[in-house]
Amino acid sequence: MHTFIGLYQDIGPALSLLVLVTFLLAGAVKGVIGLGLPTIAMGLLGLGLPPAQAAALLIVPSTVTNVWQLSTGGHLRPLLRRLSGLLSMIFVGTCLGSLWLGIDSGPWAVHGLGAALVVYALYGLIGPQLRVTPRHERWLGPLCGLTTGVVTAATGVFVMPAVPYLQSLGLNRDELVQALGLSFTVSTLALAVGLAGQDALGGQALGASLLMLAPALLGMIAGQWLRQRISPVLFKRCFFIGLAVLGAHLLFNG
């Protein structure tokens, strides 16, 4: 409670409400389609908070929900072997990107976040279904991991290009959901290391992030319930359109 009061005093009632609603919504989106918590959270929080502060709030909810996601499915060991290049370079790229760029590197980072959201949304709406052959995974996985890490360090969003890459591997539904959880967990932990190196992840920031776990989990449970009652195709379409609008706002007005 003391941490929430401190957060409330620091950012005011309007932004405090934005933070709570954001994590409810982001958790619900993740519950429905298996991803979107960091993307939604960074996009909406970027409307009122500096990128480093927004990313710090993301650490605990993202880590817990992603560990929950990767722990189910029964494919963890083979996925770890297959995705080792991607995962290791995500970590390396995020840490190096934090030293080189830093998530609080200036106004351009907000515009970069907007661009990443627009690209991802357009890919989700109209992008072709790509297929990566096994012989290309050895070099393409690490390359996508390194690029994802740099984008994560600069914007706090770790979907591009890791998500399109994972979707191109021909994984079944359970494998894909578990692979996404695995990739996002590594990205979140690497982001935490990068933020700590920038002195942006102290005890107060972690306490505030811990408080966001409750609305994120509540939203995720609601999203899982909703997933059984609506068309995933329709929901994804609405999700990507909303994401494109939000990204365009940050790109041009951030």
Side-chain angles (χ1 to χ4, degrees):
M1 180 63 71
H2 176 74
T3 304
F4 178 76
I5 292 174
L7 179 67
Y8 179 90
Q9 291 174 338
D10 285 343
I11 66 178
L15 286 181
S16 297
L17 180 61
L18 172 66
V19 169
L20 291 174
V21 171
T22 291
F23 279 97
L24 276 169
L25 177 60
V29 171
K30 186 175 181 65
V32 173
I33 64 175
L35 68 155
L37 191 151
T39 311
I40 291 290
M42 287 300 295
L44 290 178
L45 294 178
L47 298 174
L49 296 176
Q53 189 175 5
L57 288 174
L58 180 68
I59 295 300
V60 174
S62 182
T63 300
V64 172
T65 56
N66 287 326
V67 169
W68 180 1
Q69 182 173 328
L70 73 85
S71 65
T72 59
H75 305 285
L76 183 58
R77 286 187 179 181
L79 285 173
L80 279 171
R81 288 194 297 268
R82 185 174 182 180
L83 303 176
S84 59
L86 172 78
L87 299 175
S88 60
M89 292 310 295
I90 284 176
F91 194 91
V92 170
T94 303
C95 293
L96 291 179
S98 297
L99 293 174
W100 173 36
L101 300 170
I103 199 168
D104 227 1
S105 52
W108 76 268
V110 179
H111 296 293
L113 171 58
L117 294 180
V118 170
V119 169
Y120 180 48
L122 291 177
Y123 175 84
L125 286 169
I126 61 176
Q129 182 61 50
L130 303 176
R131 282 288 180 265
V132 174
T133 60
R135 66 189 182 93
H136 292 311
E137 289 183 34
R138 181 174 297 180
W139 64 269
L140 189 56
L143 179 60
C144 286
L146 182 64
T147 306
T148 299
V150 173
V151 172
T152 298
T155 68
V157 174
F158 31 81
V159 296
M160 292 297 290
V163 170
Y165 173 77
L166 291 173
Q167 290 173 330
S168 72
L169 296 181
L171 303 173
N172 65 41
R173 179 178 177 181
D174 290 340
E175 288 174 329
L176 178 59
V177 169
Q178 197 167 12
L180 289 170
L182 188 58
S183 173
F184 296 160
T185 299
V186 172
S187 292
T188 304
L189 294 177
L191 180 62
V193 171
L195 289 170
Q198 299 176 53
D199 295 323
L201 196 64
Q204 183 177 2
L206 281 175
S209 179
L210 181 62
L211 287 174
M212 296 305 106
L213 179 60
L217 288 177
L218 182 60
M220 190 171 179
I221 293 170
Q224 290 173 338
W225 175 87
L226 184 62
R227 182 170 56 192
Q228 309 301 320
R229 290 162 175 80
I230 67 170
S231 164
V233 174
L234 175 62
F235 186 89
K236 280 187 177 182
R237 186 174 296 120
C238 295
F239 166 64
F240 284 123
I241 291 174
L243 209 60
V245 172
L246 179 60
H249 172 81
L250 293 175
L251 178 61
F252 296 110
N253 302 309

